[in-house]
Amino acid sequence: MDMDGFPDSLINRLDRARRVVFATGAGISAESGVPTFRGEGGIWNKMRPEELASVDGFMRNPQLVWEWYQHRRDLMSRVEPNPGHFAIAAFEQHFPELTVITQNIDGLHRRAGSSRILELHGDISRNKCFDCGRLYDKEINPDEDLPRCGCGGMIRPDVVWFGEMLPHDVLQAAFEAAETAEIFFSVGTSAVVQPAASLPLVAARRGAFLVEVNLEPTPLTPVADVFLQGKSGDILPRLLKQFESRRKAAPGGEKTP
Ligand code: BV8
Ligand code: ZN
């Protein structure tokens, strides 16, 4: 164990790594004030996800689904990225290939400065037509008649609901990144929603060093090479700091990727 509590096995690998993946879930945004889905205060403790984050739920009650998304959209427009997001963005300068694969729809990785981001489940700030997929940039007021696209289709949030396929190109890029990663970080996810939950397993099978950063153990923990238990907004900046100070102290100092 190094002085700051991170195992040498991790720091040494980070020192040699070229291809690193950070795969994140709702937990990384919790310290920004965005509620998670499960666990303490999770939004799914109060309602069933199938009612609001599914095609059937939307078709059954589009007004209610829009109210839920408008509420979450308003909340996400008022929050800021936290030190966990910023640390991942800062790690980018140290590796030739750093890919962020996020299940989150809050756009906080982009606002923190990460440049290669794969949004598996879409982005809450975008609306699209249910039928033709055309983006629709006007505000939606759930209290008024819901607008329709020129093709007659209903307008919905541009997010992936349960039972829906993920965007093919994004999912393909995510599996490619997982298959070639030397280090795969799983951060702030309960690791149950598929196909996102398969990515760390694909990476581990291909020989990646698997690091989990989470408040509590998950089904992935037994498979991880290192489990860093705690808040990502605390752990990731400390890991970055230790990694960078180790880099500076090394002969030849800063290593350019
Ligand atoms: C599909 C967007 C197929 C919308 C979301 C039975 C078995 C296996 C799979 C299935 C099954 N039945 C159905 C399925 C498939 C289903 C699925 O996986 N269901 C699960 C529940 C079993 N998946 C799907 O439907 C996917 N599509 O499979 O299509 C298909 C095939 C052919 C043809 C057609 C279709 C689509 C899934 C995407 C759903 N959309 N979000 C919206 O957000 O409104 S899912 C949503 O929930 C998120 O995007 C995310 O993916 C998921 C939540 O998970 P997490 O991010 O992990 O959040 P969670 O709260 O659970 O955990 C937070 C963690 O952080 C906790 O562990 C906590 O301890 C930790 N934490 C908290 N604070 C901190 C912290 N950690 C660190 N620091 C902190 N400060
Ligand atoms: Zn349309």
Side-chain angles (χ1 to χ4, degrees), residues 106-158:
D106 55 33
L108 289 177
H109 282 297
R110 193 171 37 254
R111 288 174 55 197
S114 285
S115 56
R116 179 163 159 68
I117 306 168
L118 299 172
E119 292 179 321
L120 294 178
H121 297 156
D123 178 336
I124 200 168
S125 66
R126 281 198 310 263
N127 303 324
K128 71 176 179 184
C129 169
F130 208 121
D131 293 350
C132 70
R134 203 180 312 163
L135 292 183
Y136 183 87
D137 57 4
K138 295 192 187 61
E139 265 307 298
I140 303 282
N141 180 345
D143 303 331
E144 292 162 10
D145 287 348
L146 292 175
R148 289 218 175 231
C149 169
C151 79
M154 292 176 77
I155 303 298
R156 55 170 285 177
D158 186 12

Side-chain angles (χ1 to χ4, degrees), residues 24-96:
T24 65
I28 196 166
S29 298
E31 292 159 81
S32 295
V34 182
T36 60
F37 294 88
R38 296 171 184 78
E40 189 80 17
I43 47 178
W44 283 346
N45 298 346
K46 296 188 234 16
M47 36 64 65
R48 285 162 22 85
E50 290 75 16
E51 275 160 24
L52 293 173
S54 72
V55 171
D56 292 350
F58 182 70
M59 287 313 184
R60 233 190 340 267
N61 194 336
Q63 233 83 13
L64 175 70
V65 173
W66 262 115
E67 269 164 33
W68 188 53
Y69 278 94
Q70 207 51 40
H71 162 71
R72 291 171 69 197
R73 188 176 276 175
D74 295 345
L75 173 90
M76 288 175 190
S77 64
R78 291 196 305 274
V79 299
E80 297 296 327
N82 68 60
H85 297 104
F86 288 118
I88 292 176
F91 264 116
E92 213 161 272
Q93 64 194 301
H94 296 298
F95 306 112

Side-chain angles (χ1 to χ4, degrees), residues 26 31 37-38 69 72 103 121 160 163-164 189-190 194 214:
E31 292 159 81
F37 294 88
R38 296 171 184 78
Y69 278 94
R72 291 171 69 197
Q103 299 173 72
H121 297 156
V160 178
E164 289 191 308
T189 178
S190 55
Q194 295 295 350
N214 213 61

